[in-house]
């Protein structure tokens, strides 16, 4: 797994993908911080990360589209599948590499915290929960992208599928509470409970909940498990 993680992490920075992802994220993040925090003399990072959540939804397909689809297209997935590394280790290694790129991208944003600490009044608990919540939700997005990448050998198709699923989840977030279906009044509550955004809102408000942390981790585990099952099924059907 560690070998796969190192290989994939290096691949991000041997190609333009890692730099494009980081560049766009930091450029737009800097714009939001300049006009949303500095211009308004605000120490609240909740709004900043709320805006970056929508941006990340658009960028994550770029980050994950080649993770498994490229291996399948180039037939190099057969080498990995026949190596001593298990399918689960391969999937987790690739997933952790993408999460590492996200973590590396977040490190420069600590400059925003320094600016707030120098010129304003930082709320350290809220800052910590915003970073933690954003990273965990970002990892969930990445897990979805890895799953979509396993379903197609075409990178563009994988990116479109990832965006479509992420957009669907966001639509459910806004439409769920307004749904009114006879004999299914419980449905909005189910959508709210399943929503990644609802869980993230607690973090953005400065509330650290173990239940929400466990939900994000469980969400990643379930999606990665489905990814392993997809690859296993394809391996046996093609074998």
């Amino acid at each position: 797994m560690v070998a796969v993680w190192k290989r994939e992490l290096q691949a991000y920075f041997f190609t333009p993908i890692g730099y494009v992802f980081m560049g766009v994220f930091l450029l737009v993040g800097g714009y939001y911080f300049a006009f949303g925090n500095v211009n308004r003399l605000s120490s609240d990072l909740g709004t900043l990360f709320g805006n970056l959540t929508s941006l990340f939804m658009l960028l994550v397909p770029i980050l994950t589209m080649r993770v498994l689809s490229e291996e399948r297209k180039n037939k190099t997935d057969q080498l990995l599948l026949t190596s001593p590394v298990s399918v689960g280790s391969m999937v987790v290694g690739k997933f952790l590499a993408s999460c590492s790129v996200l973590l590396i991208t977040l490190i420069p944003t600590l400059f925003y915290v320094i600016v707030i600490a120098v010129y304003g009044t930082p709320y350290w608990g809220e800052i910590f929960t915003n970073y933690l919540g954003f990273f965990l939700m970002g990892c969930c997005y990445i897990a979805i992208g890895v799953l979509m990448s396993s379903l197609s050998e075409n990178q563009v198709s994988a990116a479109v599928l990832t965006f479509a699923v992420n957009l669907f989840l966001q639509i459910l977030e806004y439409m769920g509470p307004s749904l009114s279906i006879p004999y299914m009044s419980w449905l909005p509550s189910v959508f709210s409970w399943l929503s990644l955004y609802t869980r993230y809102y607690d973090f953005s408000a400065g509330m650290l909940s173990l239940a929400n942390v466990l939900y994000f981790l469980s969400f990643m585990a379930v999606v990665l498990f489905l990814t392993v099952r997809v690859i296993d099924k394809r391996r046996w059907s093609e074998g």
Side-chain angles (χ1 to χ4, degrees):
M1 182 176 70
V2 175
V4 174
W5 169 73
K6 288 182 178 179
R7 172 178 172 271
E8 288 299 313
L9 187 58
Q10 290 174 349
Y12 275 117
F13 297 102
F14 287 155
T15 61
I17 292 177
Y19 299 102
V20 169
F21 173 82
M22 294 180 66
V24 173
F25 186 92
L26 293 174
L27 179 65
V28 178
Y31 171 84
Y32 284 142
F33 179 72
F35 288 93
N37 293 87
V38 176
N39 191 47
R40 298 180 181 180
L41 302 178
S42 172
S43 299
D44 178 26
L45 288 180
T47 303
L48 170 66
F49 280 106
N51 292 327
L52 290 178
T53 298
S54 299
L55 172 66
F56 188 75
M57 182 189 71
L58 299 174
L59 290 179
V60 71
I62 298 175
L63 191 64
T64 61
M65 64 183 183
R66 54 159 292 279
V67 171
L68 289 168
S69 60
E70 186 179 49
E71 301 278 6
R72 185 179 176 187
K73 180 181 179 180
N74 297 333
K75 306 302 181 182
T76 53
D77 60 332
Q78 298 302 318
L79 297 175
L80 288 171
L81 294 175
T82 56
S83 69
V85 179
S86 67
V87 175
S89 296
M90 178 189 71
V91 170
V92 172
K94 288 175 174 288
F95 167 72
L96 291 179
S98 299
C99 292
S100 297
V101 175
L102 171 59
L103 183 61
I104 292 170
T105 305
L106 287 177
I107 291 175
T109 66
L110 293 175
F111 173 74
Y112 308 154
V113 180
I114 295 174
V115 171
I116 291 174
V118 172
Y119 296 102
T121 304
Y123 302 98
W124 297 111
E126 184 176 324
I127 290 173
F128 171 76
T129 56
N130 269 278
Y131 270 96
L132 178 61
F134 184 84
F135 179 72
L136 289 174
M137 188 169 69
C139 290
C140 290
Y141 276 134
I142 290 172
I144 293 172
V146 172
L147 174 59
M148 295 302 106
S149 184
S150 72
L151 295 172
S152 174
E153 65 179 32
N154 184 284
Q155 295 186 32
V156 176
S157 297
V160 171
L161 282 172
T162 302
F163 175 75
V165 172
N166 291 338
L167 182 62
F168 177 72
L169 291 176
Q170 189 172 40
I171 290 174
L172 280 183
E173 165 68 16
Y174 293 109
M175 291 184 59
S178 61
L179 288 177
S180 180
I181 303 177
Y183 308 108
M184 298 183 70
S185 58
W186 47 267
L187 198 58
S189 298
V190 172
F191 285 153
S192 179
W193 187 86
L194 292 173
S195 172
L196 295 175
Y197 298 94
T198 300
R199 304 280 176 168
Y200 171 70
Y201 290 153
D202 290 342
F203 287 94
S204 65
M207 294 182 289
L208 179 59
S209 168
L210 180 60
N212 289 337
V213 173
L214 291 176
Y215 178 83
F216 282 134
L217 295 176
S218 300
F219 185 95
M220 296 175 218
V222 170
V223 175
L224 293 178
F225 172 77
L226 292 175
T227 305
V228 172
R229 297 301 300 162
V230 167
I231 296 174
D232 273 336
K233 182 178 179 181
R234 186 172 71 244
R235 179 173 62 170
W236 290 113
S237 64
E238 293 177 357

